[in-house]
Amino acid sequence: MIDKGEHIIESYAHVLNADRTILKLNPALEQLGYRFRWIDATEFETDFSEILNVPKDDSRPHNNRIGREFKGISEDLRRVLVHSASFGQMFMHMEYPGLMLLHKIETYKLTGDFDDFIAEQSSFRKFYTEATDLLLQLRLFKIGEIRFSQLFQITSVSRQITSRKHEITIGSFGDFKLIDEEAEELSGLLRTKYECNGLTELAIKNFTVVYDIPDGRIRFVTLMTCLESLFNLGKDQIAHTIARHLALILSTTNEQFRENYTSIKKLYNKRNAIVHGGEYKGDLIADYLDLSDKVRAAIKFCNKSELTKQKVFEDLNMKGF
């Protein structure tokens, strides 16, 4: 519960597994009403401690100095951090401890009226949809275990959380990082809403689910399901159809086509080994990362307005390899 009275409400999502290079996206994100913010340990203590259910209290001494810059946090926050499974222990051992937040620039006002909860629910629902859509676009761009630990709305002065939704955190690692060229390219692609067509809808849902699966084998099989939903036309020669279609998308020469076809066929055979209880031969993590990039390319190719599975088949046939 928050204190009675009027409040200005801010909206944030706590981002895990992304380094500060994603701040390069801010000029583009600000056009969409968002920005990434890096919060150091002291600002975490003073303005965002309620993320871990530690109420704001300016009287608490900041006796614990952490990181290379010796930023101060209270004993109360330190004690909670070391028991936070999602990010606390990692935070305490960072060279420069801090949080990455996705911040919605627009605020809204609670007046203390009876119907405030309607405005609150409507605002949070809109924020959640927009933030998770931006997250999807980052995930579709490149490899990286970027995720939200929670999305929340917080009062601007008393720093009390009004609405919150915790997301699945599975302890996965692998930072989402952007070099300058990638940041420039992604900045040109970002939209408030990522539009999918009828062909890619199921593939994108499976792709999103993958990030919440802790088992690498099930992740691998689920990614292959993305390709099946995009390319498979029937019960026969599934591996051949997927390998051929995807190799055509990835290739510009006959030699590349042959190499990609063989590589994808091998990946599908490894999928079969998992599903049928056989021995997995190879490096599962490397194969998963390889397959995930191929799925991104497939979704990007297929996510064109009014494109159907049959039209994909016809278009790829015209490539002539």
Side-chain angles (χ1 to χ4, degrees):
M1 295 289 292
I2 64 172
D3 297 335
K4 292 182 179 180
E6 294 185 352
H7 295 280
I8 301 299
I9 306 300
E10 303 169 358
S11 303
Y12 296 91
H14 175 214
V15 183
L16 296 177
N17 300 333
D19 77 357
R20 279 185 270 188
T21 58
I22 65 171
L23 295 171
K24 299 173 184 177
L25 298 174
N26 277 348
L29 281 173
E30 286 167 0
Q31 300 299 312
L32 306 178
Y34 283 84
R35 66 166 68 96
F36 284 115
R37 286 183 57 186
W38 176 255
I39 307 300
D40 69 24
T42 298
E43 191 174 359
F44 181 24
E45 170 74 51
T46 58
D47 289 340
F48 293 97
S49 62
E50 189 146 319
I51 290 176
L52 293 178
N53 301 314
V54 178
K56 177 180 174 65
D57 184 353
D58 293 333
S59 68
R60 284 196 302 261
H62 300 176
N63 293 333
N64 292 274
R65 302 292 170 176
I66 60 176
R68 185 181 289 271
E69 295 177 332
F70 297 101
K71 297 287 185 179
I73 62 172
S74 67
E75 177 61 21
D76 290 350
L77 182 58
R78 186 203 68 80
R79 192 179 300 115
V80 175
L81 273 166
V82 297
H83 292 98
S84 169
S86 61
F87 72 95
Q89 293 187 23
M90 181 173 61
F91 178 94
M92 293 297 294
H93 290 89
M94 292 171 69
E95 187 176 11
Y96 298 97
L99 304 180
M100 185 65 72
L101 301 178
L102 176 65
H103 173 210
K104 183 172 184 176
I105 297 170
E106 182 183 21
T107 61
Y108 72 97
K109 187 175 183 179
L110 294 180
T111 62
D113 293 339
F114 177 76
D115 59 354
D116 273 350
F117 78 96
I118 299 176
E120 187 178 342
Q121 288 183 338
S122 175
S123 173
F124 188 79
R125 188 161 47 243
K126 184 173 185 291
F127 165 61
Y128 181 85
T129 300
E130 291 174 350
T132 53
D133 212 76
L134 287 170
L135 177 64
L136 170 63
Q137 293 176 67
L138 269 59
R139 288 171 164 178
L140 284 170
F141 183 73
K142 68 173 297 186
I143 290 168
E145 288 293 307
I146 186 170
R147 63 179 62 250
F148 297 146
S149 76
Q150 59 179 283
L151 300 93
F152 61 95
Q153 295 186 321
I154 191 168
T155 58
S156 62
V157 177
S158 62
R159 311 310 285 176
Q160 295 171 295
I161 288 180
T162 62
S163 302
R164 172 166 26 203
K165 186 178 188 305
H166 288 279
E167 297 291 87
I168 297 173
T169 53
I170 60 174
S172 60
F173 299 98
D175 275 359
F176 184 92
K177 301 178 181 180
L178 295 170
I179 61 174
D180 289 344
E181 293 77 10
E182 291 172 332
E184 182 178 0
E185 180 184 354
L186 180 54
S187 292
L189 297 173
L190 290 173
R191 299 290 183 269
T192 303
K193 179 173 176 54
Y194 181 84
E195 299 286 353
C196 63
N197 59 26
L199 175 59
T200 58
E201 181 182 5
L202 183 59
I204 289 170
K205 286 181 178 179
N206 275 307
F207 179 84
T208 300
V209 166
V210 162
Y211 283 83
D212 295 331
I213 298 174
D215 189 292
R217 296 165 300 174
I218 302 177
R219 278 191 174 209
F220 189 91
V221 171
T222 306
L223 278 179
M224 197 61 76
T225 303
C226 296
L227 298 179
E228 291 175 342
S229 71
L230 292 173
F231 298 134
N232 187 36
L233 289 170
K235 297 180 180 179
D236 300 323
Q237 294 188 315
I238 298 175
H240 164 73
T241 303
I242 291 173
R244 177 183 180 277
H245 281 34
L246 186 51
L248 285 169
I249 291 171
L250 299 173
S251 307
T252 57
T253 67
N254 286 328
E255 183 179 358
Q256 285 181 348
F257 172 77
R258 287 191 294 269
E259 291 175 354
N260 283 321
Y261 177 87
T262 301
S263 170
I264 298 161
K265 196 80 175 289
K266 288 180 179 178
L267 289 174
Y268 197 87
N269 290 338
K270 291 179 178 181
R271 172 263 183 204
N272 289 341
I274 294 171
V275 171
H276 300 296
E279 180 184 357
Y280 192 92
K281 297 179 180 179
D283 185 333
L284 178 59
I285 294 178
D287 290 340
Y288 162 76
L289 294 175
D290 180 27
L291 179 58
S292 69
D293 258 352
K294 288 177 167 58
V295 170
R296 289 182 181 90
I299 291 174
K300 181 178 180 180
F301 178 87
C302 293
N303 197 41
K304 301 180 179 71
S305 179
E306 305 303 323
L307 192 62
T308 64
K309 193 175 294 189
Q310 185 62 38
K311 187 67 167 58
V312 168
F313 183 79
E314 294 169 359
D315 289 349
L316 292 176
N317 275 344
M318 293 175 63
K319 295 194 72 169
F321 292 142

